[in-house]
Amino acid sequence: MSCIGRLSPMGVRLAYTRIEPGDAMKRSFIVTIAIALGLIVGCGSGTESGASRPPAVIPPPEQLILPGTLTIAADFQGPPFDYYEGTEPRGFDVEFDRAVADLMGLKVKLVDGRFASLVTGLEAGRYDAVISVLYITAERAKKIDLVPYAQTGSGFLVKKNGAFQPRRPEDLCGHTVAVLAGGFEEQLITTGELGKQCRDTSKPLKAKSFPSDVEATRDVADGRSEAFFSNHSIVLHRAKQVASFGLTTSNASPLYPVPAGIGVRKDRPDVRRAFESAVEHLHKSGELKKLLDKYGLEPPDPELVQKALAGNT
């Protein structure tokens, strides 16, 4: 999102804009706020402003897209990690982003993009980092550097009273499943072990890829897909939101435990080092654990990180 403020005798006019790849001005939220002389106005969910920032606890990156500002991209259609509550960004990643920016003594600008194009946008230099619960995989690590900061897993969203109630990944064999385009679960089915396992048993698994979990959830609700196979926390959140539509989760605990990483460009080791220092500081202070616990996540397991980077998930 970006934020534009215009000062007038009556107050400040703020425009909040969601930015998506190829669509710079897709949706705006305009609000007029009357202010008294000397009041500082901040944009909050766009580039967060103010008279001053906390002094840097760790050295910030040497160069940034916007001086003094950490530009971070995420898919804001992925609650509880990244989403909007009205015009305000919310979620695990948003809280993490702000904590990291504070440690670096920087403002933060949040850019909303679709998941499948986030890495491409990072490689093109549109933002300093991607923080959108990117699963650490060997394939993804060939394109960008990944700094571990959380650990999650996969789950199923299905019709509550439907005949299909998968508990294990292999239960998906022979069925039609919705997944997020570019996500870990899509890879498991199309080129990974799960897809191979289903083909070997003569029960091929059909994956339908969607740009957001909203559309994937709708496909299950409409009966076109039999399950939505995605991040466990996303599935749990969606199940609560759409309970009135008769959807629920069918697995009790996360499947395929996998670490998530902060995506940075390979030619920006200064950015990688800054995020590594920030994660270490938040871990030692206990702030990271509090945040992970709040959203039902775990700290990354170093052994799992190494296995993921080696392609042994």
Side-chain angles (χ1 to χ4, degrees), residues 188-225:
L188 274 174
I189 294 171
T190 56
T191 61
E193 184 62 31
L194 180 57
K196 181 179 183 301
Q197 182 179 353
C198 292
R199 290 190 296 272
D200 288 347
T201 57
S202 299
K203 294 181 179 180
L205 170 56
K206 181 182 178 181
K208 296 177 67 177
S209 300
F210 294 90
S212 76
D213 60 306
V214 175
E215 292 151 296
T217 299
R218 186 181 301 121
D219 209 61
V220 176
D222 291 343
R224 291 187 290 269
S225 289

Side-chain angles (χ1 to χ4, degrees), residues 36-295:
L37 182 63
L39 182 64
I40 297 168
V41 177
C43 298
S45 57
T47 303
E48 300 185 342
S49 61
S52 63
R53 299 292 297 171
V57 177
I58 60 174
E62 296 167 7
Q63 289 184 320
L64 295 166
I65 293 174
L66 296 174
T69 299
L70 202 55
T71 303
I72 298 172
D75 186 337
F76 278 84
Q77 292 186 1
F81 302 113
D82 307 275
Y83 65 101
Y84 286 106
E85 191 174 272
T87 62
E88 288 298 312
R90 294 282 187 263
F92 167 74
D93 285 326
V94 175
E95 293 190 48
F96 177 82
D97 297 345
R98 289 170 175 161
V100 167
D102 283 347
L103 287 176
M104 297 181 188
L106 301 171
K107 301 173 186 176
V108 61
K109 177 182 179 181
L110 303 176
V111 180
D112 181 12
R114 298 293 68 81
F115 188 83
S117 61
L118 292 178
V119 171
T120 303
L122 177 65
E123 291 178 303
R126 297 192 189 107
Y127 17 84
D128 299 307
V130 170
I131 303 182
S132 195
V133 192
L134 288 177
Y135 287 4
I136 295 176
T137 66
E139 191 65 28
R140 189 167 281 153
K142 292 177 183 177
K143 299 179 179 180
I144 59 174
D145 283 342
L146 293 154
V147 179
Y149 74 121
Q151 186 165 297
T152 182
S154 303
F156 309 122
L157 182 71
V158 298
K159 286 193 172 182
K160 187 174 183 178
N161 297 319
F164 186 49
Q165 299 290 322
R167 300 288 192 274
R168 305 166 301 168
E170 54 266 34
D171 293 340
L172 298 178
C173 294
H175 295 272
T176 300
V177 180
V179 295
L180 287 179
F184 173 75
E185 291 77 16
E186 181 189 55
Q187 180 270 326
L188 274 174
I189 294 171
T190 56
T191 61
E193 184 62 31
L194 180 57
K196 181 179 183 301
Q197 182 179 353
C198 292
R199 290 190 296 272
D200 288 347
T201 57
S202 299
K203 294 181 179 180
L205 170 56
K206 181 182 178 181
K208 296 177 67 177
S209 300
F210 294 90
S212 76
D213 60 306
V214 175
E215 292 151 296
T217 299
R218 186 181 301 121
D219 209 61
V220 176
D222 291 343
R224 291 187 290 269
S225 289
E226 296 171 86
F228 175 30
F229 184 33
S230 187
N231 178 275
H232 191 248
S233 294
I234 289 178
V235 165
L236 287 174
H237 186 84
R238 279 293 173 211
K240 293 176 182 177
Q241 286 189 319
V242 298
S244 61
F245 292 96
L247 299 182
T248 187
T249 56
S250 60
N251 61 302
S253 57
L255 307 167
Y256 297 111
V258 61
I262 301 160
V264 299
R265 286 167 51 183
K266 284 188 173 294
D267 62 349
R268 294 302 308 275
D270 59 315
V271 178
R272 187 193 71 245
R273 287 193 297 268
F275 276 107
E276 287 173 341
S277 296
V279 171
E280 183 179 4
H281 187 281
L282 291 172
H283 172 69
K284 288 182 177 179
S285 69
E287 292 179 66
L288 182 56
K289 186 179 187 307
K290 289 180 183 177
L291 190 56
L292 291 169
D293 289 346
K294 178 179 177 180
Y295 288 91

